[in-house]
Amino acid sequence: MGKTIFEKIWAENSVMERPDGATLLFVDRHIVHDATSQGFDKMEAEGHSLRRPDLTFGLADHYVATGNSAAQRKPNFDQMVNRLEAESKRWGFDSFGPGKSKQGIVHVAGPELGITLPGCVLVCGDSHTATHGALGALAFGIGASEIAHVLATQTIWQRKPKQMRVTIDGTLDQNVTAKDLILALIGKIGAGGGTGHVIEYAGSAIRGLSMEGRLTVCNMSIEAGARTGMIAPDETTISYLEGRDYAPRGDVWDRAVAHWRTLISDDDAVFDCEVSMHSSEIAPMVTWGTSPMDVLPITGAVPAPSIADNDDERKRIAHALDYMGLTAGMQLTDIAIDRAFIGSCTNGRIEDLRAAATIAKGRKAQVPAFVTPGSGQVKAQAEAEGLDRIFTDAGFEWTDPGCSMCVAMNGDLVPPGERCASSSNRNFEGRQGRGSRTHLLSPAMAAAAAVTGHLADVRKL
Amino acid sequence: MKPFKSHRGIAAPLPKSNINTDLIVPARYLTRARKEGFDDALFADLRSEADGTADPNFVLNQPPFDAATILVTGDNFGCGSSREHAVWSLADYGFRVVIAPSFADIFHGNSLQNGLLVIPTPQATVNELCTKMSETPGTEITVDLDSQTVVCGNLSYTFDIDPYRKECLLNGLSETADTLRRLTEIKTFEGRHGKSHPWLTAPN
Ligand code: SF4
């Protein structure tokens, strides 16, 4: 029987098995950020030290000031950022803090710096680590105890997850993006649809995506409950990586590429579960509720609780509508917004900013709108292309890179009761600040909402 | 880690699906050091109104559920952010056991590493437990890890748990120390992996 990409990487990185069936996986890349200090606390409390500083990388993102709402900042945010810096000096690993050109959100900067490579096992104390699977890495989020374990041993115990293949064929229409694709998928399989599984994304619509688009898709695997997402490396992956800071060079590069080409699922490989979709099912999407699965094409209307087939779900929808301040039957395009946020590890890459700038160009933001590049390199590139000017001319605020309003941990937040069109990944209650109401959508759709003052169909602008 | 052998305590029902870790512990608490404790952060936005007063409708604000040490809840519990603070806040508040139809993967792993026993339980059984709790508030549940059983009045069932995690929980063992006993195997692997995958073991 053939093997999947996942099984190949799993086998290559297995150190040993425990009698109970858990496998000790070697960790090729461990990225730590400014919200993982408790992992270092735990490592030290147990009397251990960092085993492989050369395979550990630091990136500050969650608590970094991005320049929007300095008023909300607290001194302990800087402490978190400084703590990462102190750990990197103490243990001797590379780390990029605010102001450094290589700084950025772990899931934007990691691939961009070539830290993430096909076939590597990569872990990070953040649930969106699935993002890195877009390059054909086996990448997953871990908790503080596991971080301590990886810091001290460079390994992690894992039980083999189940495998799901999601095949999406066809060509996406203009203005339909990777974000719409993944939102549509989560709408179809549900927020728990991938629980216990690794998802491999395949099919012509996936192959046709740029690396940025693939990163967006894999990023939200966790919103479908999956352990992680992966895409087989191909020419897009290889040309994306060539010449990046930490990517191999010379002979080693050639050897690496030859190996990466073998990282595809064999024709006779078997998945525990298969899902397929066609690109024609996908339109510009927007969420109306408090779970990423509460999603519809922008042409739709807010659903009534009665669409659910059970009582629990009816209650959940009723509560979500109440929290979101929406009434069933309302056209999605009639929902007025108070703010827009373009950024995050889902959609803070150059291609995302270009798409948003296309919409912002020559128009005026009707509500406060922030554009937060995902990394220092994205910011520099966007400025070189003049995107920052397009945004500021349109009345958008252009900020420094970081997580910012995606998670409201650095003081940038959506005030209670306000409604934000956001290119991020979670619309949970309180995610962007207590009482905040989040509508998830693509960067172009977020820009369209900003310039019209309501949720809008980007195709009609 | 605090060992877990068996536990008997009052159970509180929170029969909602997809309770995410942002709800269990809001982001604003995350800069705290572990030793400061997270008990007050647990369900902070559900427990109190925006002005800080306790919400009387929230189950953990109602006696006898305010003394609960076992939480019975809905499926996909602990989804969302990987923050281990969610487990710390449950543990610091006093919970020793969470019973639900299913748990999000990362939360599941985090719990067992911190001595919080999570027990996947069929939905129908969870419903029965919830009925018992609402009919007789203060109903106690007994959980025995060694025999992997849950007993609540005349209802009892057995549950699955990874044997290794069970061993660690019963003895309060840290996994890291256990893994470091296998350092020779890890080093042998590193040597081999470095030869076959030089681009991975020696980044520029
Ligand atoms: S951008 Fe948002 S989702 Fe991504 S790592 Fe930062 S906080 Fe997490």
Side-chain angles (χ1 to χ4, degrees), chain A residues 12 18 20 26 28-29 38 46 48 51-52 63 76 143-145 149 157 159 196 247 255 426 434, chain B residues 20 31-32 45 48 80-81 84-85 105 110 162 164 174-175 179-180 189-190 193 195 197 200 204:
Chain A
E12 283 174 16
R18 227 165 28 201
D20 64 312
F26 186 72
D28 298 303
R29 299 284 183 273
Q38 285 99 350
E46 293 189 3
H48 308 303
R51 228 191 122 235
R52 294 290 305 262
Y63 290 104
N76 52 358
S145 292
H149 187 278
W157 290 102
R159 301 189 142 263
R255 274 185 74 184
R426 286 192 176 136
R434 191 170 187 159
Chain B
N20 62 65
T31 62
R32 270 193 201 170
D45 292 345
S48 57
S81 150
E84 197 152 321
H85 313 68
D105 292 337
N110 288 345
D162 174 319
Y164 177 81
S174 145
E175 189 173 46
T179 305
L180 283 172
F189 175 88
E190 275 171 334
H193 195 55
K195 288 208 185 79
H197 298 68
L200 287 178
N204 291 313

Side-chain angles (χ1 to χ4, degrees), chain A residues 184-419:
Chain A
L185 176 72
I186 296 166
K188 181 174 173 132
I189 68 174
T195 303
H197 290 76
V198 163
I199 299 179
E200 179 180 339
Y201 298 95
S204 55
I206 298 291
R207 292 266 141 247
L209 292 174
S210 64
M211 190 47 64
E212 279 90 346
R214 295 177 186 189
L215 288 159
T216 302
V217 169
C218 287
N219 175 273
M220 290 191 69
S221 304
I222 188 86
E223 293 345 307
R227 193 79 178 97
T228 190
M230 307 178 84
I231 295 174
D234 60 7
E235 293 315 313
T236 302
T237 322
I238 292 164
S239 58
Y240 173 86
L241 280 170
E242 191 160 13
R244 301 215 172 244
D245 295 74
Y246 288 97
R249 294 177 202 285
D251 288 357
V252 182
W253 167 260
D254 295 337
R255 274 185 74 184
V257 169
H259 180 68
W260 296 342
R261 290 192 202 282
T262 68
L263 295 175
I264 46 167
S265 291
D266 299 330
D267 290 340
D268 52 346
V270 179
F271 291 81
D272 298 286
C273 165
E274 300 257 9
V275 172
S276 55
M277 257 175 99
H278 194 267
S279 60
S280 56
E281 295 171 52
I282 309 167
M285 307 295 286
V286 59
T287 62
W288 49 266
T290 51
S291 161
M293 70 178 173
D294 298 337
V295 70
L296 282 171
I298 182 67
T299 47
V302 176
S306 58
I307 59 157
D309 55 10
N310 65 69
D311 247 6
D312 266 7
E313 184 62 4
R314 271 188 286 278
K315 270 191 236 153
R316 189 191 70 81
I317 294 178
H319 179 81
L321 293 184
D322 181 49
Y323 179 85
M324 292 296 290
L326 298 174
T327 24
M330 220 176 146
Q331 282 302 307
L332 292 172
T333 47
D334 287 340
I335 298 174
I337 61 154
D338 304 299
R339 261 161 217 278
F341 173 65
I342 296 165
S344 87
C345 61
T346 314
N347 283 127
R349 299 184 183 80
I350 189 69
E351 188 178 284
D352 301 319
L353 302 191
R354 286 184 194 135
T358 307
I359 303 301
K361 191 167 188 170
R363 299 193 168 94
K364 281 281 174 229
Q366 306 299 313
V367 294
F370 300 126
V371 186
T372 303
S375 72
Q377 289 195 21
V378 170
K379 186 174 191 220
Q381 173 76 28
E383 289 175 354
E385 294 178 19
L387 304 185
D388 57 323
R389 287 283 306 282
I390 294 176
F391 286 121
T392 48
D393 286 351
F396 289 63
E397 194 173 327
W398 177 248
T399 83
D400 287 329
C403 296
S404 180
M405 207 177 274
C406 168
V407 70
M409 276 161 79
N410 77 335
D412 297 335
L413 44 80
V414 175
E418 282 202 12
R419 191 182 295 288

